[in-house]
């Protein structure tokens, strides 16, 4: 079973990053991913820690009921967060749904963990400085400048656009 965020004791984001990494690397066979997805490149398992049930339910429902939209959304997130490397090791911070979230990836396993509020500002600043930050506020252009969410991803999240 995954450790609860409230049990983590880090006082800085760097400490939280280390602690989250230790939790992630200590996952065993009893840990159940909230999403398991087979792709052309292999299985992706997403584990969640400290996430609101409605967010998890939303993405699980998309996977179950609208696979095409789930895949478009996944591709859009992947394009917006290139530092969360495929089949490698990476980390990014995303500000989404009123909170900051750390995503850690090792091969096909991804842990998404809600960052405690007192560490969120530091996490966003460090991640932005390293090109590892996605702010899910919409940016007006596709020029690649800034950390805002690309318009395509915003439209997909809002379900205002359907791929043809």
């Amino acid at each position: 079973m995954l450790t609860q965020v409230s049990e983590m004791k880090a006082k800085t984001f760097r400490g939280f990053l280390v602690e989250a990494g230790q939790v992630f690397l200590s996952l065993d066979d009893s840990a159940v991913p909230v999403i398991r997805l087979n792709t052309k490149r292999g299985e992706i398992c997403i584990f969640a820690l400290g996430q609101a049930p409605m967010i998890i339910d939303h993405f699980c429902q998309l996977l179950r009921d609208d696979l095409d939209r789930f895949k478009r959304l996944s591709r859009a997130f992947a394009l917006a967060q290139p530092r969360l490397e495929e089949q490698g090791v990476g980390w990014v911070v995303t500000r989404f749904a009123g909170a900051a979230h750390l995503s850690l990836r090792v091969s096909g396993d991804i842990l998404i963990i809600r960052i405690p509020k007192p560490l969120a500002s530091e996490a966003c600043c460090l991640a932005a400085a390293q090109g590892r930050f996605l702010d899910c506020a919409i940016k007006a252009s596709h020029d690649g400048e800034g950390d805002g969410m690309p318009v395509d991803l915003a439209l997909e999240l809002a379900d205002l656009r359907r791929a043809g």
Side-chain angles (χ1 to χ4, degrees):
M1 178 129 219
L2 294 177
T3 305
Q4 294 301 312
V5 174
S6 62
E7 295 173 17
M8 299 176 85
K9 303 296 182 204
K11 302 289 187 217
T12 66
F13 174 67
R14 289 175 195 263
F16 180 79
L17 186 58
V18 168
E19 210 170 346
Q22 290 170 339
V23 167
F24 188 33
L25 294 174
S26 68
L27 291 179
D28 58 23
D29 292 338
S30 68
V32 178
V34 294
I35 293 178
R36 187 181 300 257
L37 181 66
N38 288 314
T39 70
K40 292 176 185 174
R41 295 184 174 153
E43 184 177 63
I44 303 284
C45 293
I46 300 174
F47 301 89
L49 181 56
Q51 300 298 320
M54 72 176 209
I55 292 174
I56 294 170
D57 291 346
H58 173 73
F59 287 104
C60 288
Q61 181 181 4
L62 272 180
L63 177 61
R64 184 180 59 247
D65 299 338
D66 193 348
L67 184 58
D68 289 339
R69 181 169 177 235
F70 183 88
K71 286 179 179 179
R72 289 191 313 270
L73 189 58
S74 295
R75 277 192 298 274
F77 265 111
L79 289 172
Q81 297 181 316
R83 298 299 294 263
L84 193 60
E85 302 166 32
E86 284 194 65
Q87 301 304 323
V89 177
W91 68 273
V92 295
V93 172
T94 305
R95 191 166 27 210
F96 175 75
H101 307 270
L102 171 65
S103 297
L104 298 172
R105 182 174 187 148
V106 175
S107 190
D109 291 340
I110 299 172
L111 172 67
I112 302 171
I113 182 170
R114 189 174 184 157
I115 300 168
K117 276 196 185 288
L119 305 178
S121 179
E122 178 189 358
C124 293
C125 289
L126 179 64
Q130 295 187 16
R132 298 174 181 277
F133 180 61
L134 174 64
D135 187 352
C136 289
I138 300 171
K139 64 181 177 183
S141 69
H142 295 280
D143 61 7
E145 295 298 317
D147 299 313
M149 182 190 322
V151 173
D152 289 346
L153 178 54
L155 293 174
E156 194 62 57
L157 278 170
D159 197 22
L160 299 174
R161 181 189 67 140
R162 295 283 180 168

